[in-house]
Amino acid sequence: KDEFQQYSYTFRSVLAPIVFDVVGGDDAVYGLHIEVVDNPAIVQMDLDCRYPEYTALPPRTLPVTAPVMPIPAGTRVTVRARANKDLVRVEVQSALENTAKPPAVLDVPAASGDLRSFQCTVAKLTEDKTLLFTLLDTDKIKNREPIRLTLARLDDKPPELAVQLHGIGPAVTPRAILPAAGRITDDYGIAKVWFEYAVDQGKPSQRAIPVPGNNPTYLAVKQALDIRDLNLAPGRKIVVAMKAADRYNLGAAPNVGSSQRWLLDVVTPEQLRVMLEARELQLRQRFAAIIQEVTETQDSLTRLEFTPRPPLPPREGRGEGKPASSPPLPPGAAKTSPP
């Protein structure tokens, strides 16, 4: 129909190099080549982490072992990667989740000395960040799907307090000293520990507890709160707790952890004595009830009679204590011993 006609042919699933010729009418093109090469890919990736100063952690290099890497909040992260081929350009796309803002695209040129290595830096990790890497190699080939790396922000947790009052019940006198003991733990260090107390519905007050200056992450505490100088009148209530703050300084305030709150009634010594006597009487009654239950159980077991079971009668065709006879053999059969 036309002087020149379009012709196309598709090579599918090419796995090996192909050499071919194109012949059309009285003309031909010989020795065309299709060369099969690998797609560009990242074969090694490391994270150089400089942690926030308050953590007192030294810089570390972490190998990327999973698509999602947890990193403490506020860390400066430098991603260092190496590809399987020489690269021309690397596009690093920051995909922000749960937002309509289009992600920014950053071109990272390959290093002049090593065309297979590149790096990019996240100055301060303040939220979860997903990086998409698109590689363009010297063969002008891009990887089919972007290589995904997610830096998951790991928030600093508040201190954990496992502290209890010892030898103190629900009521105290105005001359009481409240001993507390236990342990305090934190991810990166304990900065401050104190008692916090409030009388009735009043404003809370604090009394500091000394903390060693070596940035401890574990602290065994054995302290007491002296309430004698509060001059509390009988009939009032006091709420006491032990609290601790860490060294976190990336927000408005450090993280604060608390023990359980102890609500104590202030009574006179006579009232406390009566309460202790009533408690002792209750414990005595409970102990006596337990002893009575154990005694009754023992008596009931003593009255039980256990009669021995009569022996079973001998089986038919077998004498007492003799094995059963074997069935007769057919004529001509040889008798063999068991293996």
Side-chain angles (χ1 to χ4, degrees):
K1 297 181 181 180
D2 301 317
E3 182 178 0
F4 299 99
Q5 297 182 20
Q6 295 292 332
Y7 171 79
S8 64
Y9 180 81
T10 301
F11 295 91
R12 301 183 182 277
S13 302
V14 179
L15 300 177
I18 299 175
V19 179
F20 63 98
D21 306 326
V22 178
V23 180
D26 58 355
D27 196 5
V29 179
Y30 299 100
L32 299 179
H33 293 261
I34 296 179
E35 190 69 25
V36 177
V37 296
D38 293 331
N39 286 322
I42 294 178
V43 295
Q44 182 180 355
M45 185 178 292
D46 297 316
L47 304 179
D48 292 340
C49 299
R50 290 188 174 272
Y51 301 103
E53 185 178 356
Y54 80 90
T55 64
L57 295 176
R60 292 181 58 189
T61 298
L62 304 176
V64 176
T65 56
V68 179
M69 295 291 293
I71 303 295
T75 302
R76 176 185 175 89
V77 182
T78 299
V79 182
R80 293 189 295 106
R82 182 171 178 81
N84 61 339
K85 302 175 64 179
D86 291 348
L87 302 176
V88 175
R89 188 178 70 253
V90 178
E91 295 180 358
V92 182
Q93 182 177 355
S94 177
L96 303 178
E97 299 179 355
N98 301 324
T99 179
K101 181 180 178 180
V105 177
L106 174 65
D107 288 337
V108 180
S112 58
D114 187 358
L115 296 179
R116 298 193 176 190
S117 299
F118 65 92
Q119 67 180 28
C120 65
T121 300
V122 178
K124 189 176 183 180
L125 186 65
T126 57
E127 59 183 357
D128 293 349
K129 195 174 190 65
T130 300
L131 302 177
L132 305 177
F133 298 92
T134 302
L135 313 181
L136 177 65
D137 62 20
T138 53
D139 295 319
K140 307 300 181 182
I141 296 178
K142 286 186 177 182
N143 49 324
R144 295 182 180 179
E145 295 292 336
I147 300 170
R148 180 181 295 264
L149 172 64
T150 299
L151 304 177
R153 167 179 166 164
L154 192 61
D155 291 329
D156 189 2
K157 297 180 180 179
E160 295 183 359
L161 289 84
V163 181
Q164 296 292 336
L165 287 180
H166 287 270
I168 300 297
V172 295
T173 66
R175 305 289 297 172
I177 298 177
L178 311 180
R183 66 180 185 274
I184 306 174
T185 57
D186 186 70
D187 297 337
Y188 306 114
I190 303 166
K192 181 182 177 183
V193 182
W194 68 93
F195 279 111
E196 183 173 282
Y197 60 92
V199 179
D200 295 333
Q201 302 296 327
K203 182 180 179 180
S205 301
Q206 298 181 1
R207 287 194 183 176
I209 297 174
V211 178
N214 57 350
N215 194 27
T217 58
Y218 176 90
L219 183 62
V221 292
K222 190 174 182 181
Q223 299 290 333
L225 175 63
D226 191 348
I227 64 173
R228 291 177 295 182
D229 57 348
L230 299 180
N231 298 321
L232 299 177
R236 309 191 72 176
K237 296 181 181 294
I238 183 172
V239 180
V240 180
M242 183 179 290
K243 293 189 174 184
D246 60 13
R247 300 167 57 89
Y248 179 77
N249 59 3
L250 301 180
N255 298 316
V256 176
S258 175
S259 68
Q260 69 179 89
R261 295 161 57 89
W262 303 292
L263 176 61
L264 306 174
D265 294 322
V266 181
V267 298
T268 63
E270 293 75 13
Q271 291 174 328
L272 181 60
R273 189 177 300 110
V274 171
M275 295 174 65
L276 294 177
E277 291 176 353
R279 183 182 179 186
E280 181 181 1
L281 179 60
Q282 183 181 5
L283 292 177
R284 286 177 177 272
Q285 292 175 349
R286 185 183 304 174
F287 184 63
I290 293 174
I291 293 179
Q292 182 178 359
E293 291 179 1
V294 173
T295 303
E296 292 176 355
T297 302
Q298 183 179 9
D299 294 341
S300 62
L301 291 176
T302 304
R303 290 193 297 269
L304 293 177
E305 296 183 359
F306 298 95
T307 56
R309 183 177 181 181
L312 296 175
R315 295 178 58 182
E316 183 179 355
R318 178 186 297 180
E320 185 67 26
K322 297 180 180 180
S325 59
S326 302
L329 297 174
K335 184 176 182 182
T336 59
S337 61

